[in-house]
Amino acid sequence: MSKKRLKRQIIKKKLFTKNRLVILNEDTFEEIFSLRLTLMNVFVVATIGAISIIFVTTFIIAFTPLREYIPGYASTKLRKEATELALKSDSLSNALKKNEAYQKAIIKVLKGELDYEKVNKDSILASDIEVIKPEQVAPSNEELQLRKEVEAEEKRIQSEAKKSKK
């Protein structure tokens, strides 16, 4: 057989050889506890134990307030307050910009430095033109009556003005 195969068989034999773990009373040599083990069983139990300890420790740190003691982790309350303050500061800075623009416009008006409105012809041409139906423009009966009253009043005022000139 090859050397590698021999080494594997020796290792396999050592791993699966049954041994006895005995706990004795030292004074009377009375056997208190006895357990039959193999090296493989001990290795598996130790590995599972280590993995379970790591898992439990990670779980405790991740899902309890203990994580706040680890550098780099912030408390949930602190995180919530920070986001609220960031939102407030953004809104306050926007309000401040609006107020400054308003104050600059007021100062320009008070100094008489008026800027005339600039109109972009392209935006006027591109805007939607609403078609108004004649029914929407037609005057109501009350409006027609008001027009007649205004015309009569204007005629009376004009006739009085002509009489006063003569």
Side-chain angles (χ1 to χ4, degrees):
M1 286 189 224
S2 69
K3 291 182 182 180
K4 287 184 181 179
R5 192 168 188 166
L6 281 173
K7 285 183 182 179
R8 284 183 190 166
Q9 284 182 352
I10 292 171
I11 292 173
K12 186 176 178 183
K13 188 176 181 184
K14 285 182 181 178
L15 284 175
F16 292 105
T17 302
K18 293 191 179 188
N19 298 312
R20 181 174 297 249
L21 173 67
V22 178
I23 299 177
L24 299 173
N25 186 348
E26 193 171 316
D27 294 336
T28 62
F29 293 108
E30 180 185 348
E31 185 177 317
I32 297 174
F33 180 74
S34 174
L35 188 62
R36 290 181 60 186
L37 297 173
T38 62
L39 195 56
M40 185 64 141
N41 289 347
V42 173
F43 180 72
V44 169
V45 169
T47 304
I48 290 173
I51 290 173
S52 63
I53 288 173
I54 292 170
F55 177 74
V56 169
T57 305
T58 305
F59 183 80
I60 288 172
I61 291 173
F63 297 108
T64 61
L66 284 175
R67 70 173 170 257
E68 295 174 13
Y69 295 108
I70 297 173
Y73 279 100
S75 68
T76 54
K77 182 181 176 184
L78 182 64
R79 222 180 277 156
K80 185 177 179 182
E81 288 176 356
T83 54
E84 288 176 2
L85 289 175
L87 291 173
K88 283 182 183 179
S89 66
D90 287 343
S91 63
L92 287 175
S93 65
N94 289 338
L96 182 64
K97 288 178 184 177
K98 287 179 184 178
N99 283 341
E100 287 175 353
Y102 177 73
Q103 289 173 354
K104 287 179 183 177
I106 294 293
I107 290 171
K108 282 184 180 181
V109 168
L110 292 175
K111 287 183 178 179
E113 301 171 356
L114 298 175
D115 291 335
Y116 295 103
E117 187 68 30
K118 296 179 182 176
V119 180
N120 188 355
K121 292 180 182 178
D122 294 334
S123 66
I124 293 172
L125 296 174
S127 65
D128 294 333
I129 300 172
E130 291 184 29
V131 179
I132 301 172
K133 297 177 182 176
E135 298 88 33
Q136 293 175 338
V137 182
S140 65
N141 291 332
E142 296 168 349
E143 193 174 344
L144 290 173
Q145 185 180 4
L146 180 64
R147 287 182 185 176
K148 287 179 185 178
E149 290 176 8
V150 170
E151 285 177 9
E153 184 71 27
E154 284 180 357
K155 285 181 183 179
R156 186 183 60 80
I157 292 173
Q158 286 178 356
S159 64
E160 288 178 3
K162 285 182 184 179
K163 286 181 185 179
S164 66
K165 284 186 181 180
K166 290 184 184 181

